[in-house]
Amino acid sequence: MGKIRVESIVAAPPRRVFDIARDVDMLPQFMKSLKRIDVLERAPDDSFLRCRWFAEERLVFARQKMCWVQKDWWDEDALTCRSLVDEKEPGNYKSLCATWSFGPRNGGAVMVIEVDFQMEHPLMTRRAHKLLDALMERNNRELLGNIKRRAERDCGCVRLPADR
């Protein structure tokens, strides 16, 4: 279970898009299911963050609350972020590994997020796995779409062709 890849083309400089994405305090505004992020550790230069994430998602007939601790390594030179669930406090995840990159494309930027994850639950079925994959993809599309809108608004850029 759990491999997704989402891409978004942005009419803004890659560095600006990277800076918006890196502002974890803003991320709950960009994804409806993300309720709060508490920063537990932060490197003085923001190259490393350890945060507790709180999310809530409607699954079939009930709302499911989720909580996990995630470690993020932000590389300003490569414009990338690598994330891992904290093995000491994985919460609802059995595993989570993500990469996020911000590169040049068509005079603007391309954001790509890839997530490989497994949820921890004894009743996981193939159908449940597919539902969770779809939710993870939808939530990350929403996140990238809102970052894109913010970056383009901030720099007054013309929107680039539709995302894939």
Side-chain angles (χ1 to χ4, degrees):
M1 149 165 107
K3 281 194 177 191
I4 63 128
R5 182 181 190 280
V6 180
E7 179 178 308
S8 182
I9 299 169
V10 186
R15 179 59 198 224
R16 178 66 188 132
V17 180
F18 174 87
D19 289 341
I20 291 169
R22 189 178 188 179
D23 185 357
V24 296
D25 296 325
M26 296 292 294
L27 294 183
Q29 295 177 32
F30 296 145
M31 191 185 325
K32 284 182 260 179
S33 65
L34 187 55
K35 301 306 177 193
R36 187 172 96 230
I37 298 175
D38 294 343
V39 177
L40 305 173
E41 280 180 64
R42 181 187 305 256
D45 64 354
D46 283 341
S47 62
F48 173 77
L49 292 170
R50 184 173 168 268
C51 300
R52 181 168 284 115
W53 295 58
F54 297 89
E56 187 174 322
E57 187 69 65
R58 182 165 193 81
L59 296 175
V60 188
F61 300 110
R63 296 200 75 72
Q64 176 69 41
K65 291 183 179 185
M66 296 181 57
C67 178
W68 68 97
V69 174
Q70 180 174 310
K71 299 183 281 188
D72 299 324
W73 291 266
W74 292 89
D75 184 332
E76 287 192 34
D77 295 328
L79 297 182
T80 60
C81 178
R82 186 173 64 92
S83 303
L84 293 172
V85 72
D86 188 327
E87 62 281 351
K88 294 176 186 169
E89 297 185 65
N92 298 88
Y93 287 100
K94 187 174 182 178
S95 67
L96 181 138
C97 177
T99 56
W100 201 351
S101 62
F102 307 82
R105 169 97 48 99
N106 299 339
V110 60
M111 281 185 288
V112 178
I113 190 163
E114 295 180 89
V115 184
D116 189 350
F117 68 100
Q118 287 189 321
M119 302 297 286
E120 186 67 70
H121 196 285
L123 301 176
M124 275 295 170
T125 63
R126 181 178 291 253
R127 183 178 225 165
H129 286 281
K130 287 185 178 191
L131 173 64
L132 291 173
D133 290 352
L135 285 171
M136 179 69 83
E137 183 173 338
R138 184 195 74 200
N139 286 341
N140 279 282
R141 280 195 190 288
E142 177 186 18
L143 174 65
L144 296 190
N146 285 323
I147 291 171
K148 169 188 172 104
R149 281 185 278 289
R150 167 74 183 276
E152 290 175 344
R153 184 194 74 213
D154 286 0
C155 74
C157 299
V158 177
R159 296 186 75 160
L160 291 174
D163 298 332
R164 295 177 216 181

